[in-house]
Amino acid sequence: MNTATYEAASGTQVFGYVLVLVVGVALVAGLLWAFRLGVSVRRRESAPPRPEEQPKLPPTGPVRETSEMREAHEVPRAEDGNERLTPHQLGNAGSRRAEDQRRPRWSPGSSGSFGGGGGGQT
């Protein structure tokens, strides 16, 4: 190899170092800008609520969850069996409390999945 080859190789290597340095400085500048933007946005937000502004329990105590079985209302039928009902004629799909409040359980020997297609026991 001659000296021209060494000079070309060192020039490319210096260009690579300069490129990495420029990208690193740009990255640090971007991170600093993002940090300052976050600080300025945080300063514009309202302060967190003070302890006396926090929600309080009702006088009756904590509200408990209730669980009950529900059943849907009967779907209205058209007077004439040939016509269709439109959505505004159907109204809201309401529900009422079911008479039987026992939870449904799988019957013994069933597969336990919809469309299982078998007895479930092998």
Side-chain angles (χ1 to χ4, degrees):
M1 283 210 243
N2 55 19
T3 57
T5 307
Y6 289 121
E7 288 177 15
S10 66
T12 306
Q13 192 174 12
V14 170
F15 175 73
Y17 289 143
V18 170
L19 182 64
V20 167
L21 180 67
V22 168
V23 169
V25 168
L27 184 65
V28 168
L31 288 172
L32 286 173
W33 174 81
F35 178 77
R36 292 193 61 140
L37 178 67
V39 167
S40 66
V41 167
R42 179 81 187 253
R43 284 185 181 151
R44 283 183 271 159
E45 292 177 350
S46 60
R50 294 187 305 273
E52 60 270 5
E53 295 174 343
Q54 296 291 333
K56 302 283 189 256
L57 276 176
T60 58
V63 179
R64 302 283 183 224
E65 179 180 316
T66 59
S67 178
E68 63 180 16
M69 302 303 297
R70 307 284 296 176
E71 60 185 25
H73 288 302
E74 186 70 25
V75 176
R77 304 280 182 201
E79 291 88 22
D80 182 16
N82 296 332
E83 70 179 75
R84 289 181 164 180
L85 293 178
T86 58
H88 74 274
Q89 291 171 322
L90 289 174
N92 294 332
S95 64
R96 61 181 174 273
R97 189 173 195 272
E99 294 289 327
D100 184 16
Q101 288 295 308
R102 289 178 293 157
R103 290 180 52 202
R105 302 288 182 187
W106 296 111
S107 59
S110 70
S111 66
S113 66
F114 179 75
Q121 297 182 5
T122 55

